[in-house]
Amino acid sequence: VRSSAASDVYKRQIFNFLLLLGFLSGCDYLDIVPDNLPTLEMAFNNKSSAERFLFTCYSFVPEHGKIGTDPGMDVGDEVWYYSDNSADYSNKTTFWIAKGMQNSNEPLVDYWNGTQWGKAMFVGIRDCNVFIENIDKVPDLSAYDKETWKAEAKVLKAFYHFWMMRMYGPIPIIKENIPVSAGEDEVRVVRDKIDDIVTYIVSLIDESVEYLPLNIQNEAAEMGRITRPAAKAIKAKILAFAASPFFNGNLDYANFKNAEGEPFFNQVYDNEKWAKAADACLEAIQCAEEAGHGLYEFVNMSSTQLSDETILSLSNRCKVTERWNKELVWGCGQSGIRDLQVLCQPWLESNYSSDDRYHNARNGTFAPTLAVAETFYTKNGVPMDEDKNYDYSKRYTTQVATEADKYYIQPGYTTAKLHFDREPRFYATLGFDGSSWYGIGKMDDNDMWYLQAKAKQASGKRGNTLYSITGYFAKKLVRYQNAMVPASIQIETYPFPIIRLADLYLLYAEALNEAKKEEGTVPEDCYTYIDKVRARAGLKGVKDSWRLYANDANKPNTYEGFQTIVRKERMIELALEGQRFWDIRRWNLANQYFNKSLQGWDINQSETNEYYKLNTYFIRNYEDRENLWPLKDYDCIVNPKLVQNPGW
């Protein structure tokens, strides 16, 4: 980058482009430039420094569950906030995207450049490349560790490519780092086609899995590192995305082409991709189960006897918040999880001090929407509008809870009919006006907290700040062991799930149904794996539930019917875990789901009859261009070969 003076300015632009793409490292102990090569040698001259470099590679894993940086949490239709700054964390950059404020001048949550609360993913890829190229030089590292660590770096590199593809579509494949001495044409990288990206990142995982451990042996120091089940699960996810309608034969992008005039998205639907995804899902499941992973079930270890309802609820709540439980195939990053819980936690009594309110409970400002509440099944395990025994038309009227409802709703309290006779996951996932909230200092389910969320009530709107705009609260994301009363305030973090076993079960059921759709019947394994998840939720199997309770008893027996069922099952089981947004995108249904009015109860009202009237707090105008996030305009100016995403 230091040749003739005539092109110095231009070459500085190219050099800056290298920086923007992350081809130069940004970590503290490694600053690779031609005059500082001994630093690179020092990074790999012993086991300890090499391991630090590996941890640097891990540091680029996006912080799942962290508000403001994880798009899955609040860019879709699952939650809303009362104002742009209601969370006071990360300035709500992801929420601004949900409100239509994404732009190509300074893109929000920019993972391409590592700005606006996004991580510099190309820096992560570059560091993985440096590690892979140099790890064999470490003199005091065993051959086993060299192969294992190299495999970890390759899987991380694959995951970072996948993360970027999912967000931006076609991206440059970075197989090797571009040397600083590269010429002008070499640094003008191009975006690769989706199928080529998928093929490459899957190949990285395939060549790595045999060197990865089945389990983490040193749990105290190494939890969160890549294992064989985690690698296979990531592969399954990637192939499922590649097979899904958005990436598989998407004619909407027929005119989105590279310099050779070839579409970035394949234009012919290939059902064989679903077969590959199904095979990968089954391999991941078998590997995970061999490693001891299984669906989490709560075991009461206290001396206080708990009801079956509470135990079932805790099984479906703690599958996320119980640290390193057996269902977690891969999860990491806890720095944002305290803040997440603070945002989800409602006030449970009226005498919180101002310090408690602002720093330890934000009164549910991370507010689930009515759309989420209505997604869950009835107690019969079928959708509300399909249950022949459920009065769907009167769901917004009110009803008084009885003693029989006490484990879910406060006896004698009046709340919406929508809140009665729902499946256990509804009560494990959501808090609402009148609902129980087990834990947080009260471990006897005969003496629980109950939310009172109307205006001026303890959990309701009591001022201009700190309240749930929808009237719903994200109970599922808060550890019941936390203590958030004025006398004792303690919030314990947990690793947020990137992939858990129930996710794989449902993904396999979905992929297998898609792969076999031409055969005219739903494969038996589809029922087997979806019913495993439903059983943990306290529900009958799919076929029995629809046969006994649904208007269309035959629905689970058809390809189209089962497709609808397994998609809804994913939305329910994985609710508020950052999965729904990406699922809706890969199903190519974003316009259908995200172009609706966002609604909740009228939280400004203190009287029951007024509170339980629907309130529309935002009408989204989701545009097609939002399916792929923009590259920064400056990047496209510096390197015209990149090609901006459509609509930006």
Side-chain angles (χ1 to χ4, degrees):
V1 194
R2 299 176 182 173
S3 58
S4 68
S7 60
D8 271 355
V9 174
Y10 179 74
K11 291 195 172 184
R12 284 195 194 97
Q13 290 178 322
I14 297 296
F15 185 77
N16 288 337
F17 177 64
L18 280 171
L19 290 171
L20 288 167
L21 285 184
F23 298 142
L24 295 181
S25 174
C27 51
D28 293 337
Y29 62 90
L30 183 63
D31 183 17
I32 306 171
V33 294
D35 297 330
N36 199 23
L37 288 179
T39 310
L40 175 60
E41 295 172 4
M42 291 175 61
F44 294 96
N45 67 1
N46 62 73
K47 178 180 179 179
S48 177
S49 59
E51 189 171 36
R52 289 204 311 274
F53 199 114
L54 178 59
F55 293 158
T56 297
C57 295
Y58 270 99
S59 73
F60 292 93
V61 174
E63 296 182 73
H64 292 69
K66 185 172 182 178
I67 302 304
T69 67
D70 182 351
M73 297 302 289
D74 52 11
V75 174
D77 64 343
E78 282 193 297
V79 299
W80 209 251
Y81 303 88
Y82 64 82
S83 76
D84 288 354
N85 295 314
S86 60
D88 295 330
Y89 293 111
S90 302
N91 292 321
K92 292 309 311 109
T93 46
T94 43
F95 181 49
W96 294 346
I97 295 173
K99 296 186 75 173
M101 297 169 65
Q102 184 60 285
N103 68 94
S104 59
N105 183 43
E106 289 290 342
L108 301 172
V109 197
D110 184 0
Y111 281 92
W112 193 284
N113 294 296
T115 62
Q116 299 291 316
W117 299 97
K119 289 192 175 184
M121 301 304 286
F122 284 115
V123 174
I125 292 171
R126 186 216 183 273
D127 282 354
C128 289
N129 281 339
V130 171
F131 185 87
I132 293 165
E133 293 165 4
N134 289 277
I135 188 61
D136 289 330
K137 300 175 182 178
V138 182
D140 58 341
L141 191 63
S142 69
Y144 173 84
D145 283 341
K146 287 179 180 178
E147 292 296 345
T148 301
W149 292 9
K150 188 186 300 182
E152 289 179 70
K154 286 182 178 180
V155 175
L156 288 172
K157 178 181 173 182
F159 182 74
Y160 298 157
H161 277 86
F162 169 57
W163 178 271
M164 296 287 283
M165 184 195 83
R166 190 171 61 167
M167 189 174 294
Y168 297 100
I171 62 168
I173 296 174
I174 311 301
K175 294 182 179 180
E176 297 176 348
N177 290 334
I178 299 176
V180 175
S181 59
E184 295 173 7
D185 195 57
E186 286 182 88
V187 299
R188 286 183 167 179
V189 296
V190 298
R191 303 176 74 175
D192 289 285
K193 293 184 287 188
I194 295 296
D195 283 354
D196 293 339
I197 298 166
V198 172
T199 298
Y200 175 66
I201 57 183
V202 167
S203 71
L204 282 174
I205 297 175
D206 284 344
E207 64 190 45
S208 304
V209 288
E210 66 177 292
Y211 300 106
L212 293 166
L214 196 61
N215 303 99
I216 295 297
Q217 300 301 315
N218 185 357
E219 294 186 0
E222 297 182 351
M223 293 302 285
R225 288 177 67 167
I226 299 290
T227 60
R228 199 179 314 154
K232 286 180 176 286
I234 293 169
K235 175 183 173 180
K237 278 271 192 176
I238 292 167
L239 289 175
F241 268 79
S244 296
F246 185 78
F247 289 106
N248 188 3
N250 189 344
L251 300 179
D252 294 340
Y253 290 102
N255 294 321
F256 185 28
K257 299 177 180 180
N258 61 18
E260 286 72 40
E262 301 168 321
F264 286 114
F265 287 71
N266 63 78
Q267 296 298 290
V268 179
Y269 174 80
D270 182 2
N271 202 61
E272 182 62 24
K273 292 181 179 181
W274 278 117
K276 292 179 180 179
D279 289 344
C281 286
L282 184 58
E283 285 184 21
I285 288 168
Q286 292 171 339
C287 184
E289 291 177 341
E290 179 188 355
H293 292 286
L295 295 183
Y296 172 85
E297 292 188 5
F298 177 81
V299 177
N300 183 19
M301 304 297 291
S302 73
S303 58
T304 304
Q305 186 173 353
L306 297 175
S307 66
D308 291 342
E309 290 89 341
T310 299
I311 289 175
L312 185 58
S313 181
L314 288 171
S315 287
N316 287 283
R317 180 177 172 187
C318 299
K319 62 194 177 189
V320 172
T321 60
E322 185 65 30
R323 293 174 56 82
W324 303 116
N325 69 74
K326 68 176 183 177
E327 186 167 341
L328 189 65
V329 178
W330 189 36
C332 58
Q334 301 181 46
S335 65
I337 303 308
R338 184 189 188 280
D339 292 345
L340 175 65
Q341 294 182 83
V342 166
L343 293 172
C344 295
Q345 179 65 49
W347 300 337
L348 300 173
E349 54 186 2
S350 58
N351 64 336
Y352 279 94
S353 70
S354 59
D355 184 69
D356 295 333
R357 291 179 183 178
Y358 282 92
H359 299 292
N360 297 285
R362 299 264 170 162
N363 204 21
T365 58
F366 181 85
T369 62
L370 181 70
V372 172
E374 294 197 312
T375 298
F376 287 85
Y377 299 135
T378 68
K379 65 180 181 180
N380 296 322
V382 299
M384 289 189 299
D385 58 347
E386 297 182 38
D387 192 329
K388 59 187 178 183
N389 299 319
Y390 189 84
D391 194 349
Y392 182 70
S393 64
K394 294 185 178 179
R395 66 193 184 281
Y396 300 144
T397 61
T398 58
Q399 180 176 326
V400 180
T402 68
E403 188 67 18
D405 302 307
K406 72 175 185 178
Y407 296 116
Y408 296 141
I409 305 173
Q410 182 177 0
Y413 201 86
T414 302
T415 187
K417 281 183 177 289
L418 178 71
H419 302 151
F420 290 86
D421 299 321
R422 305 298 298 278
E423 62 156 305
R425 286 179 296 190
F426 174 80
Y427 302 104
T429 303
L430 300 176
F432 52 85
D433 181 43
S435 76
S436 64
W437 194 287
Y438 176 80
I440 316 298
K442 290 192 174 186
M443 302 300 182
D444 184 343
D445 62 0
N446 289 305
D447 179 27
M448 286 189 288
W449 297 106
Y450 289 102
L451 303 189
Q452 296 186 358
K454 300 181 188 70
K456 307 302 182 183
Q457 291 183 322
S459 305
K461 182 179 179 182
R462 297 170 60 186
N464 294 326
T465 61
L466 305 183
Y467 56 88
S468 165
I469 194 172
T470 66
Y472 288 103
F473 302 84
K475 181 194 295 185
K476 179 183 184 180
L477 303 180
V478 179
R479 284 174 59 88
Y480 79 90
Q481 301 98 325
N482 292 346
M484 291 190 187
V485 293
S488 176
I489 298 173
Q490 181 180 3
I491 302 174
E492 297 182 15
T493 62
Y494 55 87
F496 201 81
I498 300 175
I499 304 175
R500 55 185 179 89
L501 192 58
D503 184 352
L504 289 177
Y505 283 174
L506 297 177
L507 201 61
Y508 176 52
E510 177 190 351
L512 186 61
N513 180 56
E514 297 289 346
K516 302 295 184 180
K517 69 178 181 180
E518 300 301 329
E519 296 183 7
T521 58
V522 178
E524 195 60 34
D525 257 8
C526 292
Y527 304 120
T528 298
Y529 282 92
I530 195 174
D531 286 351
K532 286 176 183 283
V533 177
R534 290 172 63 89
R536 196 258 301 277
L539 302 175
K540 297 181 185 297
V542 166
K543 289 192 285 188
D544 285 343
S545 293
W546 260 260
R547 176 175 56 82
L548 293 170
Y549 305 113
N551 294 318
D552 181 3
N554 191 52
K555 183 175 181 177
N557 301 319
T558 67
Y559 157 73
E560 292 84 0
F562 189 84
Q563 181 193 66
T564 300
I565 290 170
V566 74
R567 286 178 174 181
K568 182 173 283 288
E569 194 76 41
R570 285 188 62 82
M571 291 184 189
I572 293 171
E573 175 63 24
L574 302 171
L576 306 183
E577 296 179 42
Q579 300 287 345
R580 175 177 168 128
F581 170 73
W582 297 115
D583 276 344
I584 288 172
R585 286 254 305 249
R586 72 178 173 88
W587 295 329
N588 207 19
L589 297 176
N591 279 327
Q592 176 181 325
Y593 279 88
F594 300 156
N595 262 327
K596 294 181 178 180
S597 298
L598 293 160
Q599 295 182 307
W601 304 116
D602 191 346
I603 49 88
N604 293 299
Q605 306 301 322
S606 58
E607 298 299 322
T608 299
N609 290 339
E610 296 300 316
Y611 179 89
Y612 285 108
K613 291 181 179 178
L614 292 187
N615 185 38
T616 297
Y617 40 88
F618 195 81
I619 300 175
R620 290 188 68 172
N621 180 26
Y622 188 90
E623 300 181 57
D624 288 340
R625 69 176 187 169
E626 295 178 67
N627 286 324
L628 295 177
W629 285 7
L631 279 60
K632 191 172 183 177
D633 289 334
Y634 177 75
D635 294 351
C636 296
I637 293 172
V638 173
N639 179 13
K641 287 186 177 181
L642 278 179
V643 185
Q644 179 63 278
N645 278 330
W648 299 101

